[in-house]
Amino acid sequence: FLHFTINQELWGTLQQNRQIVVTHHLEFARKVADRIVFLEEGQVTFNGSSQAFFESDNPRIQLYLQQLL
């Protein structure tokens, strides 16, 4: 599990560009993601807004969030 420190320069860069970021660091994802694609066993389980992901009632997503938040 990697620990990321978001400094002002990195935050500014991420806000100005569209990028794909692969991470298990959910607080980082919550801050920078407009959309989240959640993969489980190689299959897309969720593809939508970051707000919808963190508010999802999907039991697998809820379990994942509980384990990592």
Side-chain angles (χ1 to χ4, degrees):
F1 196 104
L2 297 175
H3 175 73
F4 293 96
T5 301
I6 303 173
N7 63 35
Q8 288 293 77
E9 183 177 336
L10 174 59
W11 181 247
T13 299
L14 290 173
Q15 287 182 316
Q16 295 172 16
N17 297 302
R18 296 229 178 246
Q19 298 181 11
I20 296 173
V21 177
V22 178
T23 185
H24 290 99
H25 193 274
L26 296 179
E27 290 302 324
F28 176 77
R30 188 189 306 257
K31 288 181 181 179
V32 301
D34 294 325
R35 300 191 59 77
I36 292 180
V37 177
F38 182 72
L39 300 173
E40 184 176 26
E41 296 182 15
Q43 301 296 316
V44 174
T45 303
F46 177 88
N47 182 359
S49 73
S50 57
Q51 180 178 353
F53 177 79
F54 286 101
E55 296 174 357
S56 175
D57 59 0
N58 178 311
R60 296 295 295 152
I61 293 174
Q62 287 181 358
L63 179 62
Y64 183 77
L65 293 174
Q66 289 170 2
Q67 291 174 343
L68 292 181
L69 283 179

